[in-house]
Amino acid sequence: MPQLTCYQLHFTGPVHLAERGIGIEETADLAHSDTLFSALCWALRLGWGDNELGRLLDAFHQGEPPFLLSFGFPFAGTVRFLPRPLLPLPAELPDALRKRWQSVRFISSDLFALWVRRDEPALRQALAAEQITADGDVGLTPAAAAHLPPIPADGGWFWRRVAVPRVTLDRASNASALYFAGRLQFAPACGLALFIAWRDRQWQPTIERALAELGELGLGGLRSIGYGAFHVTVGEDLILPDLPAESQAVLLSLYAPRREELEAGVLGPGARYDFLVRGGWITAPDGTRYRRRTVRMLTEGGVIVQPATTPVRGTLVDVRPAIPHLHPVYRYGLALTVPARQGGR
């Protein structure tokens, strides 16, 4: 039975989580798994040195990752949210209701469990209750909705994205220029929850200390003006249905398939997925900045096929540009999956 350790990030202020293709005025509303892994490696290098970071990366390269990491998904009080799986909806669902649920991005973890288990009567009953937020972004079961914290008085939101005005001055002329910076804000008792499947518990104390240090350093952009700081609490383990005989799985992380996984049919009939392009910049030890190579990865909620002969694992992708003597730069593309039963349409 998949059992994932939950770490809840309680942000002490706003956070900026930029994505490729949009400006600083926008921010994501979740933390990508490759961003979290890179940030953890950064904290590990600062606190424990290059050798310890190299030891961790060696374990991943040798195909024995000490842990698998999810996205950082929103939570509100005791209700954790996961991506709406790209699995079919129940066949008997009315078309209007089907369209509403197809636009939902996050669902409560108990609804996620019903969806991957394909418990059709219970799933239809939960979907028919239409516990969907006004913006159509989040769906819950009635039981989960009853456990949400009190709605904040100033607007009724648990998390929201806003763009705030900022001004920069030209050093030569003192001319001002207005720009906007996106911020993700959380109400009290809300934040981001990441889930870790531990494979080697010897690494757990070190990674948990690195995560706490990362909270002091900050996650995401605009850290120099106080964005991204958080403290960590350990939440209740996420226990999901065990379906060992099934051939499909839902992604809780970005996934960069290995060549042998593609050849074995991981994206074959039955797979449903979207791609996310990951790019950006890297900073060399001498301070020089380079644009890193872009990579397309399958994103959260995608459904993949588990080949009988080849395990689904994914890989670290080296995205350094073709510049001699530049150190490797890795993007995390290992798959954290939940087994799913086929059904619906």
Side-chain angles (χ1 to χ4, degrees):
M1 180 174 293
Q3 184 165 345
L4 309 178
T5 305
C6 174
Y7 297 94
Q8 299 181 149
L9 313 185
H10 303 263
F11 291 92
T12 57
V15 58
H16 176 83
L17 299 166
E19 292 193 82
R20 174 182 161 80
I22 56 179
I24 195 173
E25 70 275 10
E26 296 288 350
T27 180
D29 53 4
L30 46 65
H32 296 99
S33 52
D34 59 345
T35 298
L36 290 169
F37 184 77
S38 297
L40 277 173
C41 288
W42 174 53
L44 189 67
R45 178 178 176 271
L46 288 177
W48 287 262
D50 290 341
N51 291 338
E52 193 70 350
L53 175 59
R55 196 166 70 87
L56 175 70
L57 293 177
D58 285 345
F60 280 90
H61 285 304
Q62 292 167 7
E64 299 176 355
F67 58 88
L68 297 174
L69 189 66
S70 78
F71 277 67
F73 297 110
F75 72 88
T78 59
V79 181
R80 284 89 60 87
F81 295 96
L82 293 171
R84 178 182 65 82
L86 298 184
L87 290 164
L89 287 154
E92 298 82 2
L93 211 61
D95 286 343
L97 191 56
R98 179 183 302 278
K99 290 179 181 177
R100 279 179 55 76
W101 279 102
Q102 284 175 337
S103 65
V104 167
R105 291 187 60 215
F106 301 114
I107 59 176
S108 54
S109 57
D110 57 344
L111 181 55
F112 182 91
L114 291 177
W115 213 314
V116 297
R117 199 166 59 221
R118 306 306 306 176
D119 187 344
E120 295 278 338
L123 180 58
R124 279 199 304 274
Q125 183 177 1
L127 298 180
E130 291 193 68
Q131 297 288 321
I132 302 175
T133 55
D135 60 3
D137 221 26
V138 176
L140 312 89
T141 63
H147 287 87
L148 289 173
I151 296 176
D154 55 341
W157 49 271
F158 293 119
W159 62 87
R160 66 177 177 181
R161 291 179 289 182
V162 295
V164 295
R166 299 187 59 81
V167 173
T168 182
L169 296 177
D170 185 277
R171 291 184 179 180
S173 65
N174 279 337
S176 61
L178 176 68
Y179 68 99
F180 288 83
R183 61 165 56 174
L184 176 63
Q185 295 176 302
F186 293 96
C190 302
L192 295 177
L194 66 95
F195 303 94
I196 293 182
W198 291 105
R199 302 295 182 84
D200 182 352
R201 292 278 182 178
Q202 293 184 1
W203 278 96
Q204 185 170 354
T206 302
I207 296 302
E208 289 181 346
R209 287 173 58 195
L211 185 60
E213 291 296 325
L214 180 61
E216 299 289 334
L217 298 168
L219 176 67
L222 303 177
R223 296 189 300 275
S224 61
I225 56 173
Y227 281 38
F230 62 84
H231 68 271
V232 185
T233 60
V234 179
E236 185 178 348
D237 285 357
L238 183 66
I239 300 175
L240 294 164
D242 191 9
L243 304 168
E246 305 303 321
S247 61
Q248 289 184 316
V250 177
L251 292 168
L252 297 184
S253 66
L254 291 174
Y255 171 42
R258 297 173 292 148
R259 181 179 297 276
E260 52 266 40
E261 293 169 28
L262 292 172
E263 293 173 349
V266 71
L267 302 184
R272 298 178 172 209
Y273 47 87
D274 289 324
F275 288 111
L276 188 67
V277 178
R278 305 295 284 157
W281 296 81
I282 57 176
T283 302
D286 63 359
T288 306
R289 301 191 75 210
Y290 303 96
R291 182 178 290 278
R292 62 187 179 220
R293 291 188 298 151
T294 58
V295 57
R296 290 199 309 166
M297 290 193 275
L298 279 69
T299 191
E300 85 280 5
V303 179
I304 58 175
V305 178
Q306 299 194 95
T309 57
T310 305
V312 172
R313 196 175 72 203
T315 186
L316 297 179
V317 183
D318 188 350
V319 295
R320 61 180 154 175
I323 296 175
H325 311 303
L326 192 62
H327 62 82
V329 180
Y330 297 111
R331 302 303 293 178
Y332 179 85
L334 278 82
L336 176 56
T337 62
V338 177
R341 179 173 290 143
Q342 301 181 51
R345 66 176 174 88

